[in-house]
Amino acid sequence: ERRRRECGPQIDGLHLEAEVARDPFGVVHHAREVVSRRPVTVRVLEPGGTPPDPARVEKLLLVRHRNVVPTLAYAASDAGPYLVQDRVAGERADQWIARLGALSERIAVAVVLQAAKGLREAAFQGLVHGALTPCSLFIDVAGNVSVTDVGVVGLCPRAAAPEGPYTAPERLAGGAADARADVFSLGAILCFLVTAREPHAVA
């Protein structure tokens, strides 16, 4: 039992390598598929609650766009339901800014535009993000952007909206996530990219 706690949850077919993030929607791990050794990201959602609508899960699995990190599987385990997502190359946008400093307006707009294209494709499937921050955007060495965790908020309806300068006011007030909240968050991310400061710190 002690070894189980140290290594994290046990999920058949997957070797969890390291915990990389925690947020209101669960815990994120870097992992590998046991057979293929393919690197993936595993998000273990909070256990309990009402199982998600199978139609919503199917939509999540169908989203394929160059600017969206694909969800490869959704299943249950003793640790709770979990998602398997492709592990993308590159850095998170917040790491990019920490290393490079504020971006030019041209580059910042190009980053946000790519993210918007991915979110638009998800919206065609009836999915929103609902919790966008600079940590949601991965940027590779060629400047390609991938948005992670698209649609996850719909699998955790009881989870509170993340608090912070990137969250739309209506979400902070308890409102449901929708495309308008994602537009607000993208605008706040754009402000961060061109100033290297969180929006509330910008005069």
Side-chain angles (χ1 to χ4, degrees), residues 27-49:
V27 184
V28 181
H29 303 263
H30 279 170
R32 286 186 183 273
E33 295 177 341
V34 171
V35 175
S36 69
R37 304 302 298 162
R38 177 182 180 176
V40 294
T41 298
V42 175
R43 173 177 279 280
V44 180
L45 305 172
E46 291 297 326

Side-chain angles (χ1 to χ4, degrees), residues 1-2 24 43 49 128 138 140 150 156 202:
E1 181 63 30
R2 180 182 176 186
R43 173 177 279 280
V128 298
F138 281 79
D140 68 16
V150 171
C156 308
V202 179

Side-chain angles (χ1 to χ4, degrees), residues 4-200:
R4 181 184 179 90
R5 288 196 301 268
E6 290 174 348
C7 297
Q10 306 299 301
I11 299 177
D12 290 342
L14 295 167
H15 172 64
L16 272 60
E17 298 174 330
E19 178 182 315
V20 294
R22 286 178 178 260
D23 58 36
F25 307 110
V27 184
V28 181
H29 303 263
H30 279 170
R32 286 186 183 273
E33 295 177 341
V34 171
V35 175
S36 69
R37 304 302 298 162
R38 177 182 180 176
V40 294
T41 298
V42 175
R43 173 177 279 280
V44 180
L45 305 172
E46 291 297 326
T50 304
D53 179 1
R56 180 178 290 276
V57 174
E58 183 177 358
K59 289 178 179 179
L60 185 60
L61 297 175
L62 286 175
V63 175
R64 290 293 184 271
H65 189 274
R66 62 177 296 177
N67 299 119
V68 174
V69 177
T71 296
L72 308 174
Y74 172 86
S77 72
D78 292 342
Y82 66 92
L83 296 170
V84 180
Q85 297 179 318
D86 201 7
R87 195 194 302 181
V88 297
E91 296 178 292
R92 300 191 315 256
D94 61 314
Q95 295 171 325
W96 226 45
I97 295 302
R99 182 168 59 85
L100 300 176
L103 304 179
S104 69
E105 292 181 8
R106 180 182 62 83
I107 294 176
V109 168
V111 167
V112 170
L113 181 59
Q114 288 186 66
K117 289 178 178 178
L119 292 170
R120 181 181 63 181
E121 179 65 24
F124 289 153
Q125 297 287 349
L127 301 173
V128 298
H129 194 288
L132 280 169
T133 73
C135 297
S136 308
L137 275 56
F138 281 79
I139 309 170
D140 68 16
V141 294
N144 299 310
V145 178
S146 299
V147 183
T148 190
D149 290 333
V150 171
V152 169
V153 67
L155 304 181
C156 308
R158 297 190 308 168
E163 295 184 2
Y166 305 100
T167 304
E170 62 269 26
R171 288 282 284 143
L172 292 173
D178 60 19
R180 294 170 297 182
D182 282 350
V183 170
F184 177 96
S185 297
L186 280 178
I189 291 171
L190 178 60
C191 182
F192 168 73
L193 295 178
V194 297
T195 64
R197 291 182 291 169
E198 290 191 332
H200 71 272

